[in-house]
Amino acid sequence: MTAADEFEPVIGLEVHIQLSTLSKAFCGAQAAYGGPPNAHIDPYTLGLPGALPVLNHRAVEYAIRMGLACHCDIALRSELSRKHYFYPDLPKGYQISQFDQPICQNGFVEFILGSERRRVRLQRIHLEEDAGKNLHIPGGRTSLIDYNRAGVPLIEVVSLPEITSAEEAGEYLRALRQLVRFLGISDGNMEEGSLRCDANVSIRPRGSTQLGQRTELKNINSFKYVQKAIEHEILRQIDVVQSGGRIIMETRGWDAARGTSRSQRKKEEAHDYRYLPDPDLPPLVIDSLWLESIAATLPATPMQRRDQYLERLGLSPYDASVLTSERELCEFFDRVLLAAGLPPGNTALLDAQRARAKQSANWLSSELLGLLNKDNRTITESPVSADALGELVRYISDGIISGKQGKDVFAKMYESRETPTDIIERLGLRQISDPELITAACRKVVDDPGMQKQVEKYKQNPKLLGFFVGKALAETQGKAKPELVSEIMLRLLSEK
Amino acid sequence: MSGHTPSPRISPDEIRVTAEMARLLLSESDIPKLSDELSAILAYANSLAEVDVTNVPPMTHAVPDHCPLRGDVVEPHIAREAALRNAPQRESAYFAVPAVFAGSDEGFDSEG
């Protein structure tokens, strides 16, 4: 048992997610990422006197969507509060957020860790507005402020402290990103800051049920560093405790360049945010009919898709993971299945249909995604449409062309964007499965006077069947279905 | 002013902390006076504690209204030049402020 095994980490994540609305949370300024500095500003964004907040309908809807997808209790009445602190990126001197009455409470997020299904429970999801951006110039005497981001709507997803490894924290965060993308409420782009993560980390002796003193890790701004930063903090805390020290409550900033963290704020300096209900904003009341309509139009979550792929289609967990990694991929796959002739919806499938679904998944995940990855293209940029791929699967499973021919057709589809029907017609690839035509080709071979010597030999050595099948296939320019040729040839030879 | 609930006093230390959070620069000589004045104000407000509010739901706003919502529509912006014209200091298209250092007590970025 190593020293690290004596301790068990306890991790809770606070994740801020920018909602992809057109306008900001409380005013009509543009919410888009980027843009020239200070282009998306208006009197409210700048906190000018007299400017009043009016809440964006869509931001509320998106927060509810997330709450429903995370199985939260949606508060039909919640409160918008002011959180006070002074910082140049916050012109009003307070941020509008939610305090003791958030819009969503409880709930959970599900994801796959290794091969296990894991569930992390949530404490809450609340609505708030983002701050502007500071540019710190190293060694400079001024900092530069861009208010484009100020006021962009955010949800903050707060988990309970029940994540027990850095790896699990990483998977949880990836699941959140995947979920918001499926719900269409955010692009979840960590590099552009539309998804940001703070981690509360503590350790305790393995088996203990008490929580240790926690530290808060901030500034983790890429998926690559989430695991690293948390892993580093766990080891740092173990080190402190083992060398007789004590963990103090503090905020630590992750420094990706140095691969380490440093203290930013101690408990003694902790802030009192003086939360109070915003006098400009009466309670947020959600109409139950509105809530019902949001629930009725909620897109399927990645986990729901996964369950459907595993149970209805009989796909492998690996294929299900690949195909549910992006919403666009799921939608593409669903169209492939339709074009391949499978019934839509949740109707139960026959074994042959499941086989066809499996075949469709293979063509998509290994063939098409393989080429797309190689060419650095996304599924939406695929030269092969979902309809075309489904058609190809259909040709193969109906025995019109062989699997081997399918690969050639597919390569041509990818190159030229032609439909499989056009390629098959143009190249004359249609497999012959008409028994009469095949019998004629086989008869031509066995009746050939030049073949009689081999026919005699066959009677001693049945292994020669392959030779005759090859000849008959050649008669059809390779278009006859080999299994049929073999079957018919066997019959003709036995009659000789 | 006399009620069942004793009036809390605002201590000089609380005055100092509050002033710091509100970014107010007070001289030490102001503090005892402010402590007396604010304690008196609080004691006055504390007379509300005598009202029996059992079974009265808590209220945060005087107007019995629901939060109005706006459609997600982009509306006109302020021209950047007009906005920057009133800035105490600017640098090209940015508002400029005295340097906020990474790792200062506020952290790299704001609270979000």
Side-chain angles (χ1 to χ4, degrees):
Chain A
M1 183 154 127
T2 72
D5 290 333
E6 293 169 32
F7 295 96
E8 156 183 80
V10 180
I11 303 156
L13 296 188
E14 291 170 15
V15 181
H16 288 94
I17 301 166
Q18 264 181 13
L19 300 176
S20 49
T21 53
L22 297 173
S23 62
K24 293 186 175 178
F26 295 102
C27 66
Q30 205 175 315
Y33 173 78
N38 293 307
H40 307 157
I41 55 174
D42 64 0
Y44 176 80
T45 305
L46 294 179
L48 298 184
L52 288 171
V54 189
L55 181 54
N56 186 334
H57 185 272
R58 201 187 306 261
V60 179
E61 179 179 335
Y62 284 3
I64 294 175
R65 256 194 224 176
M66 184 64 169
L68 289 172
C70 295
H71 319 270
C72 298
D73 305 322
I74 310 294
L76 292 182
R77 186 186 173 91
S78 65
E79 193 75 64
L80 294 150
S81 297
R82 292 183 177 182
K83 176 182 178 179
H84 296 87
Y85 63 93
F86 288 107
Y87 207 60
D89 60 18
L90 190 73
K92 296 194 300 296
Y94 60 85
Q95 174 195 34
I96 300 179
S97 180
Q98 297 194 291
F99 184 50
D100 52 354
Q101 294 178 48
I103 188 162
C104 312
Q105 292 194 68
N106 307 321
F108 57 87
V109 173
E110 278 188 309
F111 55 96
I112 303 295
L113 180 66
S115 55
E116 229 179 284
R117 200 185 181 102
R118 282 281 306 158
R119 181 179 281 195
V120 167
R121 286 176 299 159
L122 301 182
Q123 186 197 86
R124 60 191 277 156
I125 300 175
H126 67 251
L127 261 173
E128 59 183 31
E129 54 179 349
D130 210 343
K133 253 185 186 156
N134 308 301
L135 266 102
H136 305 290
I137 299 166
R141 301 182 62 179
T142 52
S143 288
L144 307 181
I145 319 287
D146 175 6
Y147 289 116
N148 282 354
R149 198 180 68 180
V152 169
L154 297 174
I155 46 172
E156 181 174 339
V157 182
V158 183
S159 85
L160 288 177
E162 55 183 30
I163 297 170
T164 55
S165 72
E167 189 196 0
E168 187 181 3
E171 286 307 324
Y172 165 78
L173 197 62
R174 269 183 275 274
L176 278 187
R177 174 181 186 272
Q178 196 186 5
L179 182 57
V180 296
R181 290 171 65 88
F182 268 68
L183 296 176
I185 62 172
S186 173
D187 61 21
N189 188 329
M190 252 189 130
E191 279 65 33
E192 290 180 358
S194 26
L195 191 147
R196 306 194 289 272
C197 172
D198 299 336
N200 290 306
V201 180
S202 65
I203 56 166
R204 63 184 174 195
R206 197 165 288 280
S208 160
T209 50
Q210 267 189 322
L211 288 174
Q213 179 58 269
R214 69 185 168 90
T215 59
E216 187 178 12
L217 268 181
K218 278 189 174 287
N219 205 40
I220 315 173
N221 47 21
S222 95
F223 278 97
K224 210 171 108 193
Y225 295 127
V226 172
Q227 255 164 269
K228 244 187 188 166
I230 294 175
E231 197 66 60
H232 179 275
E233 179 58 17
I234 294 167
L235 293 175
R236 189 193 68 84
Q237 290 191 10
I238 290 175
D239 209 47
V240 169
V241 170
Q242 288 197 321
S243 53
R246 191 172 61 88
I247 307 296
I248 49 167
M249 184 172 174
E250 61 181 342
T251 301
R252 301 183 65 87
W254 174 248
D255 184 340
R258 292 196 180 87
T260 181
S261 67
R262 57 204 155 105
S263 184
Q264 288 184 335
R265 189 163 70 207
K266 301 266 192 289
K267 188 190 180 183
E268 304 80 70
E269 304 153 13
H271 282 195
D272 173 355
Y273 291 118
R274 292 154 289 146
Y275 279 100
L276 60 91
D278 192 314
D280 293 333
L281 293 160
L284 172 58
V285 175
I286 309 295
D287 179 71
S288 59
L289 281 178
W290 187 30
L291 182 58
E292 277 169 33
S293 82
I294 298 172
T297 54
L298 196 69
T301 66
M303 283 311 257
Q304 287 170 332
R305 293 284 200 165
R306 182 188 165 85
D307 288 344
Q308 193 196 16
Y309 289 171
L310 291 177
E311 287 154 25
R312 178 172 182 253
L313 306 182
L315 300 190
S316 68
Y318 175 79
D319 279 344
S321 292
V322 171
L323 296 174
T324 54
S325 59
E326 290 287 345
R327 179 179 173 176
E328 289 75 13
L329 200 53
C330 271
E331 287 170 350
F332 191 96
F333 182 52
D334 289 348
R335 287 201 305 277
V336 172
L337 293 178
L338 269 184
L342 291 184
N346 277 320
T347 45
L349 298 182
L350 306 168
D351 283 351
Q353 290 173 313
R354 284 161 74 99
R356 191 176 286 204
K358 174 82 191 152
Q359 215 173 356
S360 302
N362 285 343
W363 277 97
L364 176 52
S365 69
S366 39
E367 302 297 326
L368 183 55
L369 289 183
L371 285 181
L372 291 173
N373 284 344
K374 207 179 79 201
D375 294 345
N376 224 347
R377 285 166 158 166
T378 66
I379 190 71
T380 49
E381 299 161 336
S382 168
V384 175
S385 72
D387 285 347
L389 190 61
E391 225 175 285
L392 178 68
V393 171
R394 204 167 177 160
Y395 278 123
I396 298 164
S397 60
D398 286 350
I400 312 256
I401 59 173
S402 69
K404 190 174 162 295
Q405 287 173 320
K407 295 223 175 191
D408 297 336
V409 173
F410 176 76
K412 291 193 166 62
M413 286 161 66
Y414 191 86
E415 259 166 49
S416 66
R417 294 173 183 261
E418 275 176 292
T419 64
T421 310
D422 287 348
I423 296 169
I424 289 167
E425 293 306 329
R426 180 161 57 79
L427 300 179
L429 291 181
R430 255 175 212 283
Q431 231 179 21
I432 299 169
S433 48
D434 178 347
E436 256 178 69
L437 290 176
I438 296 176
T439 309
C442 291
R443 203 172 288 286
K444 203 172 164 193
V445 174
V446 295
D447 290 349
D448 183 345
M451 284 292 166
Q452 297 319 304
K453 231 168 122 184
Q454 276 80 4
V455 173
E456 283 312 308
K457 275 192 186 164
Y458 169 81
K459 289 175 183 164
Q460 313 305 321
N461 179 10
K463 280 186 185 160
L464 278 175
L465 176 65
F467 166 79
F468 291 101
V469 171
K471 289 281 175 198
L473 273 173
E475 284 293 327
T476 63
Q477 286 88 44
K479 288 184 214 166
K481 203 173 177 185
E483 305 87 85
L484 271 179
V485 175
S486 171
E487 194 186 308
I488 291 169
M489 186 58 88
L490 187 67
R491 185 163 48 79
L492 290 186
L493 284 169
S494 65
E495 287 166 4
K496 275 278 174 180
Chain B
M1 294 275 286
S2 69
H4 300 295
T5 323
S7 302
R9 244 196 96 74
I10 306 285
S11 71
D13 272 348
E14 283 171 310
I15 298 282
R16 287 189 193 96
V17 170
T18 310
E20 199 202 319
M21 285 194 299
R23 299 292 192 271
L24 293 174
L25 194 64
L26 300 181
S27 69
E28 267 305 306
S29 59
D30 288 336
I31 289 174
K33 190 174 150 235
L34 277 166
S35 174
D36 288 344
E37 283 177 7
L38 285 173
S39 296
I41 292 169
L42 199 69
Y44 179 63
N46 207 46
S47 59
L48 286 173
E50 287 169 28
V51 182
D52 181 7
V53 289
T54 324
N55 301 325
V56 179
M59 174 174 129
T60 51
H61 292 78
V63 281
D65 201 0
H66 298 168
C67 189
L69 300 178
R70 38 173 283 270
D72 182 23
V73 180
V74 175
E75 284 153 27
H77 294 75
I78 312 188
R80 183 166 57 203
E81 277 313 306
L84 284 163
R85 201 162 45 221
N86 292 320
Q89 209 190 332
R90 63 179 284 184
E91 233 176 273
S92 62
Y94 293 95
F95 292 86
V97 297
V100 249
F101 294 107
S104 71
D105 76 328
E106 303 278 351
F108 289 114
D109 226 325
S110 86
E111 302 296 314

